[in-house]
Amino acid sequence: MLFAIIVGFILYSSWPLITGKTIILETRPYDPFDLIRGNYLQIGYEIGQISYQGNLEEGDIVYVYLSEDDSGISRYKDISLIKPKSGDFIKGKVVKIRANTISVEYGIEQYFIERGTRVERGNMEVEVKVNSFGQGRIVRITKDGKQID
Amino acid sequence: MGNVGEEKTSFGEIVAVIGAVLIAVGVAWIIFKNWNSIHDILKVLILLLAIGVSYGVGVLLRIQDYEKIGNSLIVLGGLLYILSIFLIAQIFDLSTSFQVNSMLLLLAWIGVFVSAYIFNSSGNLVVAMATFLFWAGFQHFALLESGIFSGFDDGIGSFLLVLLVVGILFYGLSLWHHSRDNKFAGVYRWWTGFYFLAFAYIMSFQMFLPGIWPNGLIIASKSFVFIAILLVLAFLFLIVGMITALNRKKLELKSVFVFAGGLLLMLILIISASAISGTLGRCDEKSCYDFNSQSSCNSIDFPDKVCQWKAENRTVYSFEEGTGTNSMEKISYCTESSCFDFKDVTACATASSKMKCSWNIERSRCENPRRDFPGYDRTIESCGQYDNNRDSCLSQNYCGWTVSRGGVGRDAPLGLWLLWIFANIMLLLVILAVIGYGVWRHSPRLVNLGISFFVLGIITRYIGFIMDYWDYGGLSLLFIVGGIILIVGGWLIERWRRNLVKKAEKQEKKFQDYW
């Protein structure tokens, strides 16, 4: 019974990694004074802050359309309350609305690293696998082309 | 059977066990040291192996009549299972939000709960109940719309209801197990006592009373659904438990009435808190920055300031080892118009009369003399005059309400004092009920639980008394007298506790192994 729960949990957590498509997201400095709390890295994404004027409310589940630029980074294209039938997109939740900017979280804002590790900010890219439901899982984080451990 | 196991224990075996434990600790240390370099699949296999070995060896030892060690290993298996859930979440970098942590705790307590029944392990049931407590708390706060870090804007009343409902649920489960002479009845009984005591203890704090129902007797919708589901389950188990226990003559009808009476009193207490909750607080003028849209910014009508909507380009720097890259972003916000914005006498005269701007000849600037030197008389403040008057405060759209968070102390109104006295009487009644129930059911642990909360209550009230009367003369005398009371009281309480525990110690033999 316990093994069934654990195996089921592992399957649920790893499903995006097994079935998802790989996208690269650019990060945005999250906190200029201390990015690391405890032993995980708090990540802010470029697509985490979206200029938007509409009828969204805090707590809304949204689907952010993405389009790949010339350097292979997936950028914000559009936002919708309805799950798209095709194209690249990622599922998120509106956590804050301030003036004409909304903050969206995608469940991939934490990356666990070894205790005591210091990571230099800037030029970080995150490789994420996103499944057909829009669920994302971090595959790896690179800085200047090298993987962060 | 237990005696056979005890005869087999020898000095050599003890040394061997210590050696085995050291090896296990050493292996575990190597694994943890190199955890990050181990492949994810191997990490999962190690965890599953640890759980399997712990449970397997535990069951084997129980069969071999090493009951205590076997039970301990089974409990260890349960704890390793919980650890595995969280380590797997770390492996997949799952979010650290309240809701995700709540989901992990749900998986944790369900698994250990089921294993408790499969392996007939009271220890695992205790672990499951402890995990359940954390889950109930996390899930409740995850559902609050304002979130736990928003200063308890939703109040703690709904969380107190969760404690009450879970207490009812566990009482029903204890009756059902008791009717079947199942040893788990003792575990549920203890946790029933814990939840009711926790409820009464939290309510006994004067500083929490104003914040129980800050918005009136209202529960946030998602939280309401959570409590409703728990309530349905609780009453289902309560009714089934009572009927089963009554039919098998394991419960007397008068016990049902006593329980119902106690429950009713606790409900009256928490509902009556709404009469005083939310009425105590500060009324402060909002800031222009609180308005997030141009229309609301332009339409708000403060009596003594003017807001204006601004849009500007702001430079954003990224920190990167000394070489910055700049980007511009446009931001809009609502801000207060300042007298300083008017640069000459003529312009200063055109400022809104609300701002009370006047030209300072000496400093050659337009300024508001009154706002430079704010007064401390809140009764003449535009919103301060509505302190402790929530409805009037919120009737002004430029005023914001903040529930009192304690520190009312000796300035508390009569209503708050009466409610506080009622709450402390309830705490005493619940403590006595738990102790009495423990003696009746021959449960020393329940007796100790009741007395622990009694001691906790006394110490808490003593500290509160000191804090409220700190600046009164003779503080040293207060400390001395209080200390003497605590010493004498401690001696008397310990004597009382030992007598009660002696009475409760004659447990039925088949439950002597744990509870």
Side-chain angles (χ1 to χ4, degrees):
Chain A
M1 169 76 190
L2 293 185
F3 291 143
I5 293 175
I6 287 181
V7 168
F9 178 46
I10 291 171
L11 271 174
Y12 166 79
S13 302
S14 60
W15 194 250
L17 294 171
I18 297 167
T19 62
K21 181 188 167 172
T22 304
I23 61 171
I24 310 286
L25 297 173
E26 190 168 275
T27 62
R28 169 175 286 190
Y30 192 92
D31 179 340
F33 298 107
D34 185 14
L35 271 176
I36 299 171
R37 285 187 300 172
N39 39 346
Y40 65 84
L41 190 65
Q42 191 78 26
I43 306 170
Y45 293 97
E46 187 197 50
I47 58 170
Q49 303 291 320
I50 298 171
S51 292
Y52 179 81
Q53 281 177 332
N55 293 324
L56 290 177
E57 289 178 0
E58 285 180 14
D60 280 348
I61 301 296
V62 293
Y63 297 87
V64 172
Y65 291 81
L66 303 167
S67 69
E68 210 172 288
D69 65 11
D70 297 334
S71 53
I73 308 283
S74 293
R75 306 277 183 192
Y76 167 79
K77 188 172 142 191
D78 202 352
I79 192 167
S80 166
L81 286 167
I82 301 165
K83 186 171 102 62
K85 290 193 172 66
S86 62
D88 295 344
F89 65 93
I90 185 167
K91 182 175 160 186
K93 184 176 173 182
V94 178
V95 294
K96 197 181 271 190
I97 298 176
R98 179 68 73 176
N100 55 356
T101 306
I102 58 171
S103 300
V104 183
E105 284 185 358
Y106 304 93
I108 51 173
E109 282 73 23
Q110 288 84 32
Y111 183 72
F112 288 86
I113 54 177
E114 195 167 348
R115 180 174 277 220
T117 305
R118 300 295 300 180
V119 177
E120 296 292 331
R121 294 178 295 272
N123 271 351
M124 278 205 306
E125 288 172 356
V126 181
E127 193 175 310
V128 174
K129 279 224 171 178
V130 182
N131 66 11
S132 56
F133 298 101
Q135 269 182 320
R137 289 282 181 269
I138 295 176
V139 178
R140 59 186 187 146
I141 297 181
T142 57
K143 179 178 156 55
D144 299 325
K146 274 169 46 176
Q147 182 170 344
I148 289 170
D149 290 320
Chain B
M1 288 254 230
N3 288 336
V4 175
E6 286 170 13
E7 281 171 15
K8 282 184 180 173
T9 309
S10 66
F11 177 73
E13 282 174 346
I14 292 170
V15 170
V17 166
I18 291 171
V21 167
L22 282 174
I23 291 171
V25 168
V27 168
W29 191 260
I30 292 172
I31 293 171
F32 292 141
K33 241 350 218 148
N34 297 288
W35 187 253
N36 282 300
S37 46
I38 297 174
H39 195 276
D40 289 347
I41 295 173
L42 195 53
K43 281 179 189 173
V44 172
L45 285 174
I46 289 171
L47 292 169
L48 291 177
L49 188 66
I51 295 168
V53 165
S54 197
Y55 272 111
V57 174
V59 169
L60 227 64
L61 286 174
R62 279 208 329 204
I63 294 170
Q64 300 291 327
D65 295 327
Y66 292 96
E67 285 279 339
K68 286 198 162 71
I69 300 174
N71 283 334
S72 302
L73 281 174
I74 288 173
V75 170
L76 178 64
L79 292 171
L80 284 171
Y81 164 75
I82 295 174
L83 177 69
S84 302
I85 294 288
F86 283 92
L87 282 174
I88 290 167
Q90 189 192 72
I91 289 168
F92 290 101
D93 299 303
L94 293 190
S95 171
T96 55
S97 68
F98 260 91
Q99 186 56 63
V100 172
N101 278 324
S102 166
M103 183 192 81
L104 299 178
L105 286 165
L106 179 68
L107 289 177
W109 79 255
I110 285 177
V112 182
F113 179 77
V114 169
S115 76
Y117 281 87
I118 292 173
F119 296 105
N120 196 29
S121 165
S122 303
N124 265 10
L125 187 62
V126 171
V127 171
M129 293 297 99
T131 315
F132 180 93
L133 174 63
F134 281 101
W135 168 73
F138 266 81
Q139 184 58 74
H140 173 262
F141 286 111
L143 290 171
L144 286 182
E145 283 159 10
S146 58
I148 189 172
F149 298 117
S150 302
F152 291 95
D153 291 345
D154 288 314
I156 58 170
S158 50
F159 179 64
L160 288 169
L161 279 178
V162 170
L163 293 179
L164 205 58
V165 169
V166 174
I168 298 169
L169 171 68
F170 287 165
Y171 180 64
L173 282 166
S174 75
L175 288 177
W176 189 80
H177 285 83
H178 179 61
S179 69
R180 282 162 167 69
D181 292 327
N182 187 308
K183 65 179 179 179
F184 286 176
V187 177
Y188 288 113
R189 215 174 279 137
W190 191 94
W191 280 99
T192 303
F194 176 83
Y195 276 93
F196 287 145
L197 282 166
F199 168 85
Y201 180 68
I202 294 171
M203 289 234 38
S204 71
F205 280 81
Q206 193 183 74
M207 65 182 282
F208 290 147
L209 292 175
I212 291 179
W213 303 111
N215 305 312
L217 210 59
I218 296 168
I219 304 172
S221 55
K222 289 179 192 170
S223 185
F224 178 80
V225 171
F226 178 62
I227 293 171
I229 292 171
L230 281 178
L231 192 63
V232 165
L233 281 170
F235 274 101
L236 187 68
F237 279 105
L238 180 67
I239 291 165
V240 168
M242 277 183 173
I243 291 172
T244 320
L246 284 167
N247 283 344
R248 295 185 186 205
K249 298 199 179 6
K250 296 283 186 175
L251 180 70
E252 292 166 10
L253 208 54
K254 67 177 178 186
S255 304
V256 177
F257 291 129
V258 169
F259 175 76
L263 195 59
L264 187 64
L265 278 174
M266 285 191 271
L267 274 171
I268 290 172
L269 175 62
I270 192 167
I271 290 170
S272 62
S274 63
I276 200 74
S277 263
T279 60
L280 294 176
R282 277 177 64 105
C283 190
D284 293 300
E285 206 173 77
K286 289 180 184 174
S287 162
C288 292
Y289 293 105
D290 293 329
F291 299 93
N292 293 330
S293 69
Q294 189 169 0
S295 56
S296 60
C297 179
N298 292 339
S299 63
I300 188 66
D301 185 24
F302 283 102
D304 55 3
K305 64 185 175 210
V306 174
C307 297
Q308 57 177 345
W309 188 255
K310 272 192 179 172
E312 62 186 31
N313 289 327
R314 188 177 71 174
T315 306
V316 176
Y317 295 90
S318 71
F319 296 85
E320 195 183 332
E321 298 169 14
T323 62
T325 53
N326 304 342
S327 63
M328 298 289 280
E329 66 175 23
K330 188 174 177 186
I331 58 161
S332 309
Y333 56 95
C334 186
T335 184
E336 185 178 341
S337 297
S338 168
C339 293
F340 300 133
D341 294 336
F342 303 95
K343 299 300 179 191
D344 57 50
V345 177
T346 314
C348 189
T350 64
S352 169
S353 58
K354 285 186 198 177
M355 295 167 68
K356 296 184 173 56
C357 296
S358 63
W359 187 259
N360 187 318
I361 297 169
E362 286 171 9
R363 295 177 184 176
S364 295
R365 68 180 190 189
C366 188
E367 63 184 24
N368 180 338
R370 178 179 171 272
R371 293 187 76 78
D372 285 341
F373 305 99
Y376 289 95
D377 184 359
R378 286 185 62 80
T379 59
I380 62 167
E381 298 285 332
S382 56
C383 294
Q385 59 180 301
Y386 302 121
D387 279 351
N388 299 326
N389 191 338
R390 183 175 171 272
D391 291 337
S392 299
C393 175
L394 294 178
S395 67
Q396 311 298 327
N397 63 350
Y398 52 82
C399 294
W401 177 256
T402 311
V403 171
S404 172
R405 299 251 163 70
V408 185
R410 54 183 183 273
D411 299 324
L414 179 64
L416 184 61
W417 276 113
L418 289 174
L419 185 66
W420 180 72
I421 290 167
F422 179 27
N424 277 273
I425 290 172
M426 270 311 303
L427 175 62
L428 198 57
L429 287 175
V430 173
I431 287 170
L432 290 172
V434 169
I435 292 172
Y437 196 54
V439 172
W440 182 34
R441 290 293 186 201
H442 308 295
S443 173
R445 282 180 176 78
L446 210 48
V447 169
N448 285 333
L449 176 70
I451 290 181
S452 300
F453 268 87
F454 180 69
V455 172
L456 191 62
I458 288 177
I459 291 172
T460 312
R461 292 296 87 80
Y462 177 60
I463 293 171
F465 191 73
I466 297 287
M467 285 169 64
D468 284 344
Y469 295 95
W470 185 260
D471 55 346
Y472 271 42
L475 187 63
S476 56
L477 188 65
L478 214 62
F479 278 138
I480 292 167
V481 169
I484 291 170
I485 290 172
L486 281 176
I487 289 171
V488 171
W491 176 72
L492 286 171
I493 286 168
E494 181 56 23
R495 275 190 61 179
W496 178 41
R497 189 192 70 83
R498 284 184 191 181
N499 281 336
L500 286 171
V501 167
K502 228 184 241 178
K503 270 187 204 171
E505 255 172 358
K506 290 177 189 171
Q507 287 189 12
E508 294 175 34
K509 279 197 176 159
K510 54 185 154 182
F511 299 142
Q512 270 176 354
D513 62 342
Y514 199 80
W515 290 92

